[in-house]
Amino acid sequence: MISQEEQPEVTMIPLTEVGSIKWTDARGQKMRELRGDIPLMALAKRLTEFEVDISRQYLNRIETNTEVKNVSPELITALCQVFGCTLAELLCLKSTKIVQLGIDNCN
């Protein structure tokens, strides 16, 4: 178990402000686990329901982390919707301390 001092700290910002999300082997393995027995072709088709157009081949590369270093926040949020999981679960952030910025909305 990670102590409070060792937990990485995360600052919350809207995903609309993020260009890409770092992808890791652990995240690819988690995606594979969450996908279960859904075929990659069926997953690609389901993602189009969330306006994410992606090939079965690219989904396979994401799962196996073959030269994939970053993915779009749109893909991540669509995967969470399809899998019925949280963003923290898919991104393996369950032991991460999340801090929300106390910023005025730039009024």
Side-chain angles (χ1 to χ4, degrees):
M1 176 164 245
I2 298 175
S3 71
Q4 288 232 329
E5 294 80 35
E6 295 173 356
Q7 288 181 330
E9 188 172 291
V10 174
T11 303
M12 293 175 58
I13 63 171
L15 282 177
T16 56
E17 301 300 317
V18 177
S20 66
I21 297 174
K22 181 179 177 183
W23 198 249
T24 63
D25 287 335
R27 291 173 178 172
Q29 291 171 2
K30 182 54 118 174
M31 178 181 155
R32 175 65 189 102
E33 175 187 317
L34 291 168
R35 181 169 63 86
D37 61 358
I38 301 170
L40 288 172
M41 189 63 118
L43 178 57
K45 186 173 182 175
R46 296 252 339 255
L47 290 170
T48 63
E49 297 170 19
F50 301 98
E51 299 182 9
V52 174
D53 188 21
I54 191 166
S55 70
R56 171 192 60 79
Q57 293 87 349
Y58 191 70
L59 287 170
N60 182 62
R61 286 179 36 211
I62 292 170
E63 282 188 350
T64 60
N65 200 29
T66 305
E67 301 175 11
V68 176
K69 303 299 178 206
N70 300 292
V71 297
S72 73
E74 294 83 10
L75 173 58
I76 296 293
T77 55
L79 286 169
C80 289
Q81 290 175 311
V82 170
F83 297 150
C85 69
T86 65
L87 187 63
E89 184 177 6
L90 179 58
L91 297 180
C92 306
L93 298 175
K94 288 200 170 221
S95 64
T96 301
K97 178 181 176 185
I98 298 176
V99 178
Q100 185 170 1
L101 289 177
I103 296 179
D104 189 0
N105 290 328
C106 301
N107 295 334

